[in-house]
């Protein structure tokens, strides 16, 4: 036991020491094409930072994806959403590379996966091969690029993770992307923070007027302010070869020559990524669909991407003093954009105070909260909100207006409904839904126990009870009942559900399970005949699809193959 522990400790120490210096020549490009990005590391996404680089695949699928270095396949994860078909390769220096949204895998890996999928009779699967099962060498074909999962178009999602599975910026490892363009500054905002703080006589957030100078830098209008203030910037980076608005790499803020704030996207952990909603002005994003990055740290924000922060990055402006606040925005290639902001300390003669919309419900971030009315109850655990917030809550029949989506939620809030007045038959078909655009209901995972339905939510909005009595719809795509399809490489059916959504599906041919791949973006189930499980001439296909409240539909057809 002692020897085993010592060996584990030795291996862990060796891997840690190996990662103390980032290797710049160990990993190669995962695609044999010029690398052009549609997404960069650390890019601001909905509720998370982008954990890798999205490499364009020339609007095509099926490009060869190669192992970035020697190693072994340590994990395979296939899911309908997220990364879709994803491959993880463990390398001897302790790093892991990740390849996402794949179309298919190399023949050896594909066979390994299919064997497990058929054994468990499921498409979605997560596997952890042993170190000696699927070894790979640098440049070896491991997959073909695709568009599976939550991809918005064909591309390869590529990550490099450290020994603690924290994603790191692939550019740190020598993965080079041509970039000769400086970041773009769209807007700058100033925030009066303290109770008596003001900028130009107002306690509200204000857009700062910027003037572009000949050298490419910006000069802001002089701000007359007093008290505690801070800034936020809306900025993106464009790289050569693509028009995409990508994320920036670094922001530095300097006050009178002294650094007071830095944001740096070298590495982060998945456990902290949702705190992005504290980094941005979430209210502004909710209303304008554009992100302002706060150049200050809000209380309880644990993000590790901050550096050299003094006084949370805020500035205390004193009357009659002058200040120069400089913001430098950089991309990884070293291109930068400078903003100079002159500030004069001045007490206002008339001050417009910040508006606070007080309601009957003040929820404190560090205290649990609950409310119940009309048979609907809400429980907000301690820490679900980032700061003390007045919530707009009202109850009408089976519907709760639960604030509005201009305040971020960090961890699940529980909404419960008393359904004792409904019959057992009705309860079976009911679910909790969030009402979206024009009142369109969308399924919220509903847990049923007796006369109580509950759901966990991380988005404010209107929630209600909805009944779904229609089963899913199933129709053939590339064949007809009774047809010979010997020339087909696959068989496809389309499945849709108009309300609660698809929960599960199962397909058989002649009573034997067949694997069908679900692509939710075009609502299709596809079986590839190369699986070699359909061997008879006459074949009876049966597809059963079930929605989230248990409505089920069955499609049956006969097809023939030589």
């Amino acid at each position: 036991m002692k020897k085993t522990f010592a060996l584990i400790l030795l291996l862990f120490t060796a891997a840690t020491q190996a990662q103390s210096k980032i290797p710049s020549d160990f990993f190669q490009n995962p695609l044999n094409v010029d690398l052009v990005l549609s997404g960069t590391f650390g890019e601001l996404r909905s509720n998370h930072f982008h954990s890798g680089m999205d490499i364009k695949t020339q609007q095509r699928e099926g490009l060869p994806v190669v192992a970035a270095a020697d190693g072994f396949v340590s994990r395979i994860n296939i899911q309908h959403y997220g990364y879709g078909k994803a491959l993880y390769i463990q390398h001897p220096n302790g790093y892991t590379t990740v390849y996402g949204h794949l179309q298919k895998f190399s023949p050896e890996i594909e066979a390994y996966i299919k064997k497990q999928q058929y054994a468990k009779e499921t498409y979605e699967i997560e596997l952890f091969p042993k170190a000696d099962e699927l070894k790979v060498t640098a440049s070896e074909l491991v997959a073909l690029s695709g568009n599976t999962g939550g991809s918005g178009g064909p591309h390869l999602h590529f990550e490099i993770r450290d020994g603690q599975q924290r994603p790191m910026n692939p550019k740190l490892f020598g993965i080079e992307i041509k970039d000769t363009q400086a970041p773009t500054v769209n807007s700058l905002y100033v925030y009066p923070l303290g109770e008596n703080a003001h900028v130009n006589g107002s306690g509200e957030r204000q857009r700062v007027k910027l003037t572009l100078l000949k050298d490419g830098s910006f000069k802001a209008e002089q701000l007359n302010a007093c008290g505690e203030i801070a800034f936020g910037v809306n900025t993106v980076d464009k790289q050569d070869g693509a028009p995409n608005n990508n994320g920036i790499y670094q922001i530095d803020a300097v006050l009178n020559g002294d650094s007071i704030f830095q944001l740096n996207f070298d590495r982060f952990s998945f456990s902290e990524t949702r705190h992005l909603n504290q980094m941005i002005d979430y209210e502004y994003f909710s209303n304008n669909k554009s992100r302002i990055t706060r150049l200050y740290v809000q209380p309880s924000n644990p993000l590790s991407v901050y550096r050299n922060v003094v006084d949370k990055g805020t500035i205390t402006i004193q009357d009659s003093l002058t200040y120069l606040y400089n913001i430098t925005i950089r991309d990884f290639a070293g291109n930068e954009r400078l903003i100079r902001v002159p500030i004069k300390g001045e007490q206002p003669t008339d001050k417009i105070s910040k508006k606070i919309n007080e309601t009957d419900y003040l929820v404190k971030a560090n205290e649990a909260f609950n409310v119940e009315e009309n048979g609907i109850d809400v429980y907000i655990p301690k820490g679900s909100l980032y700061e003390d917030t007045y919530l707009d809550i009202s109850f009408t029949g089976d519907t709760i207006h639960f604030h509005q989506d201009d305040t971020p939620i960090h961890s699940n809030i529980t909404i419960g409904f008393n359904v004792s007045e409904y019959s057992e038959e009705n309860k079976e078909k009911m679910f909790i839904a969030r009402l979206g655009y024009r009142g369109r209901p969308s399924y919220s995972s509903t847990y049923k126990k007796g006369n109580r339905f509950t759901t966990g939510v991380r988005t404010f909005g209107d929630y209600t009870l909805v009944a779904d009595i229609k089963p899913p719809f199933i129709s053939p795509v590339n064949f007809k009942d009774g047809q010979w399809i010997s020339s087909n490489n696959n068989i496809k059916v389309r499945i849709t559900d108009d309300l609660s959504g698809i929960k599960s599906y199962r397909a058989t041919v002649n009573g034997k399970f067949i694997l069908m791949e679900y692509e939710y973006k075009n609502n299709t189930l596809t079986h590839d005949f190369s699986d070699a499980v359909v061997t008879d001439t006459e074949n009876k296909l049966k597809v059963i699809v079930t929605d989230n409240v248990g409505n089920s539909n069955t499609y049956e057809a006969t097809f023939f193959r030589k």
Side-chain angles (χ1 to χ4, degrees):
M1 175 67 83
K2 290 183 178 179
K3 289 183 178 180
T4 301
F5 178 77
L7 178 60
I8 293 173
L9 182 62
L10 180 63
L11 291 173
F12 177 79
T13 303
T16 303
Q17 290 175 345
Q19 291 189 351
S20 62
K21 183 178 180 181
I22 298 173
S24 60
D25 57 357
F26 185 80
F27 296 109
Q28 66 175 57
N29 295 347
L31 291 173
N32 294 319
V33 296
D34 292 335
L35 300 191
V36 178
L37 301 187
S38 59
T40 52
F41 180 82
E43 196 166 283
L44 308 182
R45 301 284 180 89
S46 293
N47 301 310
H48 70 284
F49 298 114
H50 189 230
S51 55
M53 53 171 53
D54 286 344
I55 305 172
K56 286 178 174 285
T57 55
Q58 304 165 348
Q59 299 181 339
R60 295 184 293 154
E61 296 185 45
L63 270 62
V65 177
V66 301
D70 294 349
F72 67 92
V73 176
S74 58
R75 181 186 176 197
I76 301 163
N77 195 20
I78 298 178
Q79 52 187 334
H80 298 142
Y81 308 101
Y83 288 179
K85 296 182 180 181
L87 191 69
Y88 299 71
I89 298 177
Q90 178 73 47
H91 302 282
N93 59 358
Y95 293 98
T96 300
T97 50
V98 183
Y99 313 76
H101 306 304
L102 303 171
Q103 182 191 70
K104 60 175 60 177
F105 303 90
S106 67
E108 181 184 6
I109 298 172
E110 190 82 18
Y112 177 90
I113 297 168
K114 288 285 180 71
K115 182 179 179 180
Q116 299 296 322
Q117 287 175 316
Y118 273 97
K120 298 181 179 181
E121 297 192 353
T122 179
Y123 169 72
E124 288 192 302
I125 197 167
E126 186 173 20
L127 303 170
F128 297 91
K130 296 178 182 178
D132 60 350
E133 287 188 285
L134 295 173
K135 294 181 180 180
V136 297
T137 58
S139 301
E140 180 181 339
L141 176 73
V142 294
L144 298 180
S145 68
N147 187 31
T148 56
S151 171
H155 72 276
L156 175 69
H157 176 86
F158 177 69
E159 294 180 21
I160 300 178
R161 299 183 183 180
D162 67 11
Q164 299 178 49
Q165 290 300 298
R166 295 176 298 182
M168 297 182 65
N169 195 328
K171 294 179 182 179
L172 293 169
F173 296 83
I175 305 293
E176 295 185 357
I177 309 295
K178 187 176 181 181
D179 184 0
T180 60
Q181 303 181 60
T184 300
V185 175
N186 295 318
S187 54
L188 178 70
Y189 288 83
V190 61
Y191 294 81
L193 299 178
E195 184 178 348
N196 297 314
H198 82 92
V199 176
N200 297 335
S202 173
E204 298 286 350
R205 173 189 65 211
Q206 299 168 55
R207 183 166 181 168
V208 180
K209 182 179 179 180
L210 298 176
T211 300
L212 179 62
L213 304 180
K214 290 182 179 180
D215 64 359
S217 65
F218 288 92
K219 182 178 180 181
E221 63 179 328
Q222 178 178 289
L223 302 178
N224 297 321
C226 213
E228 185 181 16
I229 68 171
F231 289 85
V233 63
N234 178 279
T235 179
V236 295
D237 186 41
K238 293 181 182 291
Q239 301 176 340
D240 296 8
N244 302 75
N245 290 327
N246 297 134
I248 51 85
Y249 171 62
Q250 186 180 81
I251 302 179
D252 289 297
V254 174
L255 179 66
N256 294 338
D258 295 324
S259 177
I260 63 169
F261 176 90
Q262 184 182 97
L263 186 62
N264 185 289
F265 285 105
D266 282 336
R267 172 182 3 216
F268 62 84
S269 65
F270 288 108
S271 63
E272 65 180 313
T273 187
R274 194 174 176 88
H275 284 280
L276 167 144
N277 289 330
Q278 283 185 283
M279 172 188 288
I280 66 170
D281 185 332
Y282 191 90
E283 179 186 18
Y284 182 90
F285 169 67
S286 175
N287 294 321
N288 298 279
K289 306 309 175 189
S290 181
R291 295 180 177 90
I292 298 172
T293 300
R294 301 180 194 265
L295 306 185
Y296 61 102
V297 183
Q298 290 190 303
S300 77
N301 187 343
L303 285 174
S304 61
V305 295
Y306 295 126
R307 305 279 190 278
N308 305 321
V309 177
V310 178
D311 294 331
K312 300 291 185 180
T314 65
I315 310 165
T316 302
I317 305 298
Q318 297 183 25
D319 190 24
S320 302
L321 298 182
T322 59
Y323 304 81
L324 181 61
Y325 181 78
N326 287 345
I327 305 165
T328 303
I329 304 165
R330 296 186 183 88
D331 60 27
F332 194 88
N335 305 301
E336 62 180 43
R337 192 75 70 179
L338 174 64
I339 307 172
R340 298 182 182 88
V341 187
I343 307 169
K344 181 181 179 182
E346 182 178 283
Q347 289 286 1
T349 53
D350 294 309
K351 178 177 176 291
I352 302 174
S353 299
K354 183 176 181 178
K355 296 179 182 178
I356 299 176
N357 296 322
E358 296 187 7
T359 70
D360 293 335
Y361 304 102
L362 173 61
V363 180
K364 296 186 177 181
N366 292 320
E367 296 180 11
F369 170 89
N370 64 279
V371 62
E372 180 177 0
E373 191 174 318
N374 278 19
I376 306 173
D377 59 88
V378 174
Y379 175 70
I380 303 178
K382 174 183 176 181
S384 290
L385 302 183
Y386 296 121
E387 57 187 3
D388 297 352
T389 307
Y390 282 102
L391 297 185
D392 178 17
I393 304 174
S394 59
F395 304 84
T396 305
D398 280 340
T399 300
I400 175 175
H401 170 67
F402 189 36
H403 201 60
Q404 49 278 336
D405 186 23
D406 59 6
T407 299
I409 299 175
H410 186 71
S411 54
N412 270 355
I413 291 172
T414 300
I415 301 178
F417 288 79
N418 184 330
V419 294
S420 58
E421 64 182 71
Y422 295 96
S423 68
E424 292 300 318
E425 183 180 1
N426 286 339
K427 284 189 288 187
E428 187 176 308
K429 301 302 180 184
M430 291 170 60
F431 64 95
I432 301 172
R434 182 175 187 270
L435 300 179
Y437 181 65
R438 292 185 175 179
R440 170 70 182 176
S442 60
Y443 179 80
S444 184
S445 295
T446 304
Y447 304 92
K448 302 180 179 182
K449 187 174 182 180
N451 288 322
R452 180 172 159 80
F453 289 4
T454 61
T455 187
V457 305
R458 296 173 89 174
T459 305
F460 285 113
D462 292 353
Y463 290 85
T464 192
L465 291 173
V466 176
D468 181 2
I469 59 174
K470 291 184 179 181
F473 178 74
I474 311 170
S475 62
V477 175
N478 62 346
F479 71 100
K480 295 179 181 179
D481 185 22
Q483 185 178 14
W484 281 86
I485 55 172
S486 301
S487 61
N488 282 27
N489 294 321
N490 57 51
I491 190 168
K492 288 186 178 183
V493 298
R494 178 168 286 109
I495 61 173
T496 58
D497 188 77
D498 69 341
L499 201 51
S500 63
I502 303 295
K503 180 180 181 180
S504 64
Y505 58 89
R506 178 179 172 81
T508 59
V509 167
N510 299 330
K512 185 178 181 180
F513 171 82
I514 63 168
L515 187 67
M516 297 200 85
E517 179 176 335
Y518 177 42
E519 177 48 79
Y520 75 94
K521 293 190 288 292
N522 58 22
N523 301 310
T524 58
L525 290 177
T526 304
H527 172 71
D528 195 328
F529 287 131
S530 65
D531 288 359
V533 296
V534 178
T535 57
D536 296 337
T537 300
E538 181 177 351
N539 299 280
K540 296 186 181 299
L541 172 69
K542 184 176 183 179
V543 180
I544 303 172
V545 182
T546 305
D547 66 20
N548 278 299
V549 295
N551 296 308
S552 183
N553 198 4
T554 300
Y555 172 81
E556 295 183 273
T558 300
F559 64 88
F560 300 89
R561 282 177 61 81
K562 288 184 180 179

